[in-house]
Amino acid sequence: MGIKDFFRKVGNGIRKAGRWVRDRALPAVGRIAKPILGMIGALPGHIGVVGRIGSGIADVLHQGISKIPNESIKDRLNGIVARGNEGFQRITDGAKDGANRVNNGIGVARDVVDTVRHGINTQIKPAIPPKLIKPF
């Protein structure tokens, strides 16, 4: 086996592996990742709904507490409900910020991939002579 045959075998093996990744692995990863990314994209909205529910519960509790005639007990209970609501809102705000950061990261990654794909199609492929480009 000459050096030319050796490199031909190596090249064919790499080409075969690349086709397998393109035809088999990437579609499977895409089918798995698409629902996950969709769910992550919807997270800030769902977290906002949970935050509004928490605020509604706190408002209802404050309205119920306002009916208590004893002022010191009313103030104490209102303080407990307010602290609980502040903690709940802090948690939902942190979760919303985290989900927005993840969504921004996904958007940046998508932009990078689109830019690279566009650059390959507009700058690299036109520079290669048509005889060397073989359709897959």
Side-chain angles (χ1 to χ4, degrees):
M1 174 188 337
I3 190 90
K4 186 176 178 182
D5 290 335
F6 172 75
F7 283 115
R8 184 178 298 138
K9 281 190 175 213
V10 170
N12 286 339
I14 292 171
R15 193 173 307 131
K16 188 175 179 182
R19 281 193 206 112
W20 182 85
V21 167
R22 182 192 69 202
D23 296 339
R24 300 268 194 296
L26 288 180
V29 169
R31 283 191 298 270
I32 293 168
K34 189 173 183 179
I36 293 170
L37 294 178
M39 184 181 69
I40 289 173
L43 270 180
H46 293 306
I47 293 170
V49 168
V50 170
R52 284 196 302 271
I53 291 170
S55 294
I57 291 171
D59 290 341
V60 168
L61 288 174
H62 281 301
Q63 289 173 2
I65 291 170
S66 69
K67 306 288 185 198
I68 297 174
N70 190 339
E71 287 296 321
S72 65
I73 292 175
K74 190 189 308 185
D75 291 340
R76 236 183 277 156
L77 289 175
N78 275 332
I80 291 170
V81 170
R83 278 196 312 268
N85 188 32
E86 287 170 7
F88 186 75
Q89 293 303 323
R90 188 174 52 247
I91 290 170
T92 56
D93 289 343
K96 211 183 301 184
D97 290 342
N100 284 332
R101 251 182 286 132
V102 169
N103 281 338
N104 289 342
I106 291 170
V108 168
R110 186 178 295 140
D111 288 344
V112 168
V113 169
D114 289 344
T115 302
V116 169
R117 185 179 298 142
H118 180 71
I120 288 172
N121 288 333
T122 59
Q123 295 173 358
I124 295 175
K125 282 188 179 178
I128 300 173
K131 291 181 182 177
L132 296 178
I133 299 176
K134 297 177 185 175
F136 293 111

